[in-house]
Amino acid sequence: QKEVEQNSGPLSVPEGAIASLNCTYSDRVSQSFFWYRQYSGKSPELIMSIYSNGDKEDGRFTAQLNKASQYVSLLIRDSQPSDSATYLCAVKSKSTFGDGTTLTVKP
Amino acid sequence: DVKVTQSSRYLVKRTGEKVFLECVQDMDHENMFWYRQDPGLGLRLIYFSYDVKMKEKGDIPEGYSVSREKKERFSLILESASTNQTSMYLCASTLGQGNEQFFGPGTRLTVL
């Protein structure tokens, strides 16, 4: 079992829809969780961090953390074509990244 | 803004050559990391450093070494490059262990 697993892609949604990206992790002591966005040919950039159970909202992005179930998710509301990218889930306890989910938002 | 720079965007080397990849950050970050990224394999941690002259092995250290003589600079060394080290290499830095990582632009290394 991988330490961080993301839902297999690619994921395709129409413009304006909600995109849901999921991530599970195996290390129960992990305290910090991050979502990075990586455009093709570019390096990852942080879009959300979350440390406590519950929801954290930032504009069109919402991160959800459930430590008991060991999953973290990212919701993108009103998806735009510019959101098309690979999204990486990171669990900071060991600087471990998931393999990424590639999202395509179709106009 | 935090800036992480890498010495080259593209690099082509021959099998057996010694290769140096340099990474510099300008925000006085304690921690620095080297990853490689390959299609289907995601980001894999090669080495990291929590302080000057300190280094820790990541998940795939074989064939690599690192050097951190100054806080702002973290070098990745391929002692004898092989074709299976053809990859995208990403450097990152972070202020503390629980903080976000800032990535450099990456070096695409091709070993012929």
Side-chain angles (χ1 to χ4, degrees):
Chain A
Q1 182 190 3
K2 290 185 177 180
E3 292 185 57
V4 179
E5 296 208 49
Q6 296 185 233
N7 52 329
S8 59
L11 177 65
S12 180
V13 300
E15 184 173 356
I18 296 176
S20 177
L21 305 165
N22 299 314
C23 174
T24 58
Y25 60 94
S26 60
D27 188 351
R28 286 190 168 274
V29 302
S30 299
Q31 297 295 321
S32 310
F33 306 87
F34 304 89
W35 282 100
Y36 291 82
R37 177 177 61 202
Q38 186 175 23
Y39 291 115
S40 180
K42 302 291 187 181
S43 55
E45 56 178 345
L46 181 79
I47 51 172
M48 290 286 285
S49 60
I50 187 165
Y51 305 93
S52 304
N53 278 328
D55 295 358
K56 179 181 178 183
E57 189 174 316
D58 184 1
R60 295 185 296 108
F61 298 93
T62 299
Q64 299 174 318
L65 175 61
N66 184 322
K67 290 185 178 180
S69 300
Q70 294 176 246
Y71 83 77
V72 57
S73 63
L74 180 70
L75 299 178
I76 306 174
R77 291 182 301 281
D78 188 25
S79 296
Q80 302 296 308
S82 59
D83 295 326
S84 298
T86 296
Y87 290 81
L88 302 169
C89 170
V91 174
K92 197 57 179 73
S93 62
K94 292 186 177 182
S95 301
T96 304
F97 287 77
D99 289 346
T101 300
T102 299
L103 170 67
T104 301
V105 180
K106 296 187 175 181
Chain B
D1 274 354
V2 175
K3 194 163 186 183
V4 181
T5 58
Q6 295 184 228
S7 50
S8 305
R9 291 299 307 274
Y10 300 94
L11 207 53
V12 180
K13 295 292 181 181
R14 297 211 173 270
T15 301
E17 281 193 78
K18 190 169 187 175
V19 181
F20 293 86
L21 303 181
E22 301 279 330
C23 175
V24 178
Q25 50 93 5
D26 65 358
M27 282 301 292
D28 203 35
H29 281 178
E30 301 290 335
N31 310 302
M32 297 187 74
F33 305 81
W34 275 106
Y35 297 89
R36 64 178 284 177
Q37 189 172 33
D38 302 285
L41 296 176
L43 267 171
R44 293 181 290 167
L45 182 63
I46 304 171
Y47 267 98
F48 58 99
S49 169
Y50 289 142
D51 201 352
V52 175
K53 296 191 185 295
M54 302 295 287
K55 60 184 179 183
E56 296 283 342
K57 293 180 180 180
D59 298 320
I60 51 163
E62 297 79 19
Y64 304 94
S65 62
V66 290
S67 172
R68 194 167 180 201
E69 296 296 319
K70 293 185 178 182
K71 192 175 185 179
E72 68 270 18
R73 188 181 298 270
F74 192 35
S75 302
L76 180 69
I77 303 154
L78 287 66
E79 296 290 342
S80 178
S82 63
T83 54
N84 63 12
Q85 292 179 309
T86 292
S87 185
M88 170 68 83
Y89 289 88
L90 289 162
C91 174
S93 72
T94 181
L95 181 60
Q97 292 191 40
N99 297 99
E100 66 169 296
Q101 296 191 25
F102 293 87
F103 285 86
T107 296
R108 185 165 294 282
L109 172 68
T110 301
V111 182
L112 302 176

